[in-house]
Amino acid sequence: MIDFILLLVKMFLIFFKIGIFTFGGGYAMIPLITEEVIKNGWVESTDVLIDFIAISQSTPGAFAINIATFIGYNQAGILGAIFTTLGVVLPSFFIILFIAMAFHKFKTNKYVIGFLNGISPVVPGIIMSVALTFILRSVFDVIDLNFKDFKFQIWAVIIFIISFGVSKLKKRIHPIYIVLISGALGLLFYGLF
Amino acid sequence: MFLLFFTFFKIGLFTFGGGYSMIPLIHFYAVDKYHWLTEKEFIDIIAIAESTPGPIAINSATYVGYKVLKIKGSAIATLGVVIPSLVIIIIISAFLMQFKNNVYVEYAFMGIRVGVAVLIMNAAIRIYKKVDKSILSYILVVFGLIMGFFNLIPIVYVILIGGIIGIFYNVLINKENKVNEND
């Protein structure tokens, strides 16, 4: 019982931290979530986490809330889902309340502007590093990136090229189409060969 | 009050694919339909939501709620946008457990994992395009990429270091025209 309460508190605090450091929308959460969730062993493997990310992107609602709920529920049931979601919501809630009350001072402060200008290029760099890690995992069929026992997966490369091509067909194609197409290709290639 | 809750409930329910796709819906309800905000206020909110921590969906719900009903409104709008996700994901999780060991589901997910990498990559490119192009920002992009890829230090520190470098740059070096180019 005590252990369960401690787990809930820990999940809340870690998602609170993730909420504070998510600059630039839900996708910016993925690197932080990957780091914390793997470190704490809240999913069985990175593959499961990537599956959660896929489903969170293809279901209604904000990605950040979906993925927080997923991980919380997976680890500690409905209470876990509520605690992780609260954790990720509360920082922005309070920060926005504060800004809504004193908006103009915030926006012209040179320290705030400098801070945001410094963060904004770092964030896409980190996000790209996670994308690279995920692609390499699939292409070389490895659990982590130690490459002790890797196997080159040509199908992963083909799925990557097709999905990337499709994602560039339209300016803002909906994520669910990419998930559906890559899922169908996975079923086809891995199922047949 | 109920209107505010149900509006954001609807926005939460009918938005697929993250906060950015909520922006048009929020515009439709908050500006066009219910006139909770002016066009100018709406643009300000999006700018604030993008430059403050946290998911865009929560940020904009909190801000719109505050404009309508102060703190109470913030809480109601945020709850409204959160509850659909919470319920839907819990239901899906329960189903997912049953299909976990199905071999075809696993094949599909082997493909989907590649698709997710593509989506994340596109998000990185999209965010990168908004960054102003300067030598400092190129350095910081590469810094984020290398630190993230090799897991050298926790990501929170990577972000903080970027922010601190940005402050030093803005305060010490870039003394002129610091406000104008940020709107």
Side-chain angles (χ1 to χ4, degrees):
Chain A
M1 187 65 196
I2 303 264
D3 283 351
F4 186 68
I5 293 169
L6 283 178
L7 173 70
L8 289 180
V9 172
K10 194 177 178 195
M11 292 181 106
F12 173 80
L13 289 177
I14 283 180
F15 274 87
F16 194 84
K17 186 172 99 178
I18 293 173
I20 292 177
F21 284 97
T22 301
F23 285 87
Y27 277 94
M29 268 174 78
I30 294 176
L32 284 161
I33 287 202
T34 310
E35 183 181 77
E36 292 290 350
V37 166
I38 301 293
K39 197 173 78 191
N40 288 294
W42 286 340
V43 288
E44 294 80 355
S45 69
T46 311
D47 280 347
V48 175
L49 177 66
I50 301 176
D51 298 347
F52 285 177
I53 293 175
I55 298 169
S56 299
Q57 279 163 337
S58 3
T59 44
F63 170 77
I65 310 299
N66 293 350
I67 188 79
T69 306
F70 236 127
I71 291 163
Y73 185 80
N74 182 60
Q75 187 62 25
I78 290 178
L79 272 178
I82 292 171
F83 273 76
T84 49
T85 304
L86 266 182
V88 88
V89 164
L90 285 183
S92 19
F93 184 76
F94 288 123
I95 290 167
I96 293 290
L97 268 187
F98 174 75
I99 291 170
M101 293 166 179
F103 165 44
H104 288 289
K105 280 177 213 147
F106 161 84
K107 217 189 167 187
T108 49
N109 182 303
K110 63 180 176 181
Y111 297 100
V112 173
I113 291 170
F115 188 72
L116 293 175
N117 280 351
I119 282 177
S120 56
V122 172
V123 168
I126 299 171
I127 298 176
M128 190 53 115
S129 76
V130 174
L132 263 179
T133 310
F134 285 179
I135 292 167
L136 292 176
R137 287 179 85 263
S138 287
V139 170
F140 293 104
D141 200 14
V142 285
I143 309 249
D144 47 38
L145 289 182
N146 285 332
F147 295 106
K148 272 183 200 134
D149 186 20
F150 70 88
K151 197 166 76 205
F152 185 68
Q153 287 283 3
I154 185 73
W155 299 127
V157 179
I158 293 172
I159 296 171
F160 173 75
I161 293 169
I162 296 176
S163 314
F164 185 70
V166 170
S167 76
K168 291 289 161 202
L169 286 180
K170 233 178 80 185
K171 205 168 176 221
R172 281 199 77 111
I173 193 156
H174 201 282
I176 197 166
Y177 295 115
I178 304 301
V179 170
L180 288 177
I181 289 167
S182 57
L185 291 173
L187 197 56
L188 180 75
F189 293 147
Y190 293 108
L192 284 181
F193 304 102
Chain B
M1 229 168 87
F2 280 113
L3 187 65
L4 191 64
F5 178 81
F6 278 114
T7 303
F8 276 92
F9 189 86
K10 261 190 286 188
I11 292 172
L13 189 60
F14 294 116
T15 322
F16 286 82
Y20 282 100
S21 34
M22 279 182 186
I23 293 173
L25 264 180
I26 296 176
H27 184 269
F28 173 75
Y29 284 114
V31 180
D32 296 340
K33 197 165 175 197
Y34 298 126
H35 308 291
W36 288 329
L37 304 168
T38 64
E39 192 70 45
K40 168 90 176 50
E41 281 174 323
F42 180 77
I43 294 167
D44 278 348
I45 287 177
I46 301 305
I48 295 171
E50 283 182 351
S51 56
T52 47
I56 308 271
I58 307 302
N59 291 347
S60 36
T62 308
Y63 203 100
V64 175
Y66 186 82
K67 283 280 164 188
V68 182
L69 277 174
K70 301 283 169 195
I71 294 178
K72 204 168 59 183
S74 290
I76 289 167
T78 306
L79 262 183
V81 88
V82 164
I83 286 174
S85 304
L86 202 66
V87 174
I88 291 170
I89 293 291
I90 287 175
I91 294 170
I92 290 178
S93 291
F95 273 108
L96 196 68
M97 302 296 173
Q98 299 186 330
F99 292 109
K100 223 175 177 179
N101 296 318
N102 182 308
V103 66
Y104 296 107
V105 174
E106 178 56 23
Y107 289 146
F109 271 109
M110 282 169 80
I112 290 174
R113 283 171 206 143
V114 179
V116 167
V118 170
L119 288 174
I120 298 174
M121 201 174 85
N122 284 340
I125 295 170
R126 202 167 56 228
I127 297 173
Y128 171 72
K129 279 184 181 158
K130 286 188 194 156
V131 174
D132 55 288
K133 307 286 176 276
S134 67
I135 294 171
L136 179 74
S137 63
Y138 291 134
I139 294 172
L140 287 175
V141 170
V142 175
F143 171 72
L145 185 62
I146 291 172
M147 289 296 169
F149 189 77
F150 293 104
N151 289 320
L152 297 175
I153 48 173
I155 289 163
V156 169
Y157 294 136
V158 181
I159 295 172
L160 282 179
I161 291 171
I164 291 165
I165 293 173
I167 294 177
F168 274 113
Y169 182 76
N170 211 30
V171 174
L172 297 177
I173 301 162
N174 192 20
K175 278 182 180 155
E176 320 90 58
N177 65 32
K178 58 199 166 210
V179 180
N180 303 342
E181 56 185 33
N182 277 291
D183 282 271

